[in-house]
Amino acid sequence: MKIVMLGAPGAGKGTQAAMICEKYDIPHISTGDIFRSNIKNGTELGKKAKEYMDQGKLVPDELTIQLLLDRVAKDDCKNGYVLDGFPRTIPQAQVLTEALAKTGEKVDFAINVDVPDENIVHRMSGRRSCPKCGASYHTTYIPPKREGICDVCGAELIQRDDDKPETVKNRLSVYHEQTQPLIDYYEKAGVLKTVDGTKDKDEVFGDIVAILG
């Protein structure tokens, strides 16, 4: 069972990916983790990736695919895996499709966790965190007992830059431009399944399990 997770930043696809992996006992593969482990282990591919990352550049698709294929060839992936954060663009999806086809494999499900932009802006811009002890809050869903003050250590809560509404809106526009076309790509391939990400996370997970069977 090879699964690709799709959804805007803040849609909750990472949470769902982790729950899928736990239930079906398959690995959760994110390109960020692959980069970090290859760099840490000093592999040839890791050294190449590090050169790009050190210059603040995106790792090219060819190299990312090489790292990914190297990862999914490991024993723990023989029953399947969940890809999170990859592919992000149509060229990446095409290269992945071609690479899998060489071994007679394919993506079985592309699960799109669908959440309207305004919900995501509300979800992310309401996040607050404690710079001292790391506790997390949300102005609507998990408010602190005293506004702006951490329940645990009493420090003043902060809003991270990438949770500010204008930043979230920018990230969403990049997502719609680059990643939204993947939804059409996987729909044409007949493997796209969309779930309503505005529901409670356990309900969303129930819908995903019903799809995966």
Side-chain angles (χ1 to χ4, degrees):
M1 193 157 58
K2 295 166 193 64
I3 302 165
V4 166
M5 295 301 288
L6 300 171
K13 65 179 184 297
T15 304
Q16 295 300 330
M19 290 164 82
I20 293 168
C21 294
E22 194 175 334
K23 178 172 172 64
Y24 293 97
D25 197 22
I26 53 178
H28 180 184
I29 296 177
S30 91
T31 45
D33 291 345
I34 298 176
F35 291 156
R36 282 188 286 277
S37 92
N38 275 274
I39 289 167
K40 188 175 152 210
N41 296 325
T43 68
E44 276 312 305
L45 291 171
K47 284 175 191 161
K48 283 183 193 166
K50 189 173 186 301
E51 281 174 28
Y52 288 97
M53 291 160 83
D54 286 349
Q55 294 169 43
K57 292 179 181 171
L58 284 176
V59 179
D61 287 355
E62 302 76 55
L63 183 53
T64 304
I65 287 274
Q66 272 185 297
L67 284 157
L68 183 77
L69 294 175
D70 181 59
R71 174 66 188 89
V72 301
K74 304 256 190 301
D75 278 353
D76 63 341
C77 292
K78 64 178 183 293
N79 294 326
Y81 45 83
V82 176
L83 292 182
D84 185 9
F86 188 93
R88 282 183 195 273
T89 60
I90 296 286
Q92 288 181 346
Q94 288 167 331
V95 175
L96 178 64
T97 301
E98 286 159 17
L100 289 173
K102 282 178 186 160
T103 52
E105 296 169 27
K106 65 178 180 59
V107 168
D108 299 301
F109 296 98
I111 299 203
N112 176 33
V113 183
D114 187 39
V115 180
D117 284 6
E118 58 271 24
N119 293 47
I120 289 178
V121 173
H122 176 69
R123 229 183 236 190
M124 292 176 78
S125 61
R127 290 177 184 172
R128 298 292 181 272
S129 57
C130 176
K132 205 166 158 194
C133 73
S136 299
Y137 300 90
H138 193 284
T139 50
T140 309
Y141 310 119
I142 331 163
K145 292 188 181 76
R146 274 175 65 205
E147 196 181 332
I149 302 296
C150 177
D151 295 349
V152 183
C153 70
E156 203 168 318
L157 299 176
I158 58 163
Q159 182 181 38
R160 289 182 13 223
D161 285 342
D162 53 355
D163 288 336
K164 289 183 174 157
E166 58 277 19
T167 313
V168 176
K169 284 176 184 161
N170 282 341
R171 288 174 68 193
L172 286 169
S173 72
V174 169
Y175 166 75
H176 289 305
E177 194 182 312
Q178 289 196 334
T179 314
Q180 189 84 30
L182 285 176
I183 291 170
D184 304 333
Y185 178 85
Y186 283 116
E187 190 164 31
K188 282 187 189 130
V191 295
L192 183 78
K193 303 287 178 191
T194 297
V195 292
D196 178 357
T198 62
K199 297 181 186 174
D200 173 79
K201 72 172 179 5
D202 293 325
E203 282 185 75
V204 178
F205 185 57
D207 292 344
I208 292 174
V209 170
I211 289 165
L212 299 178

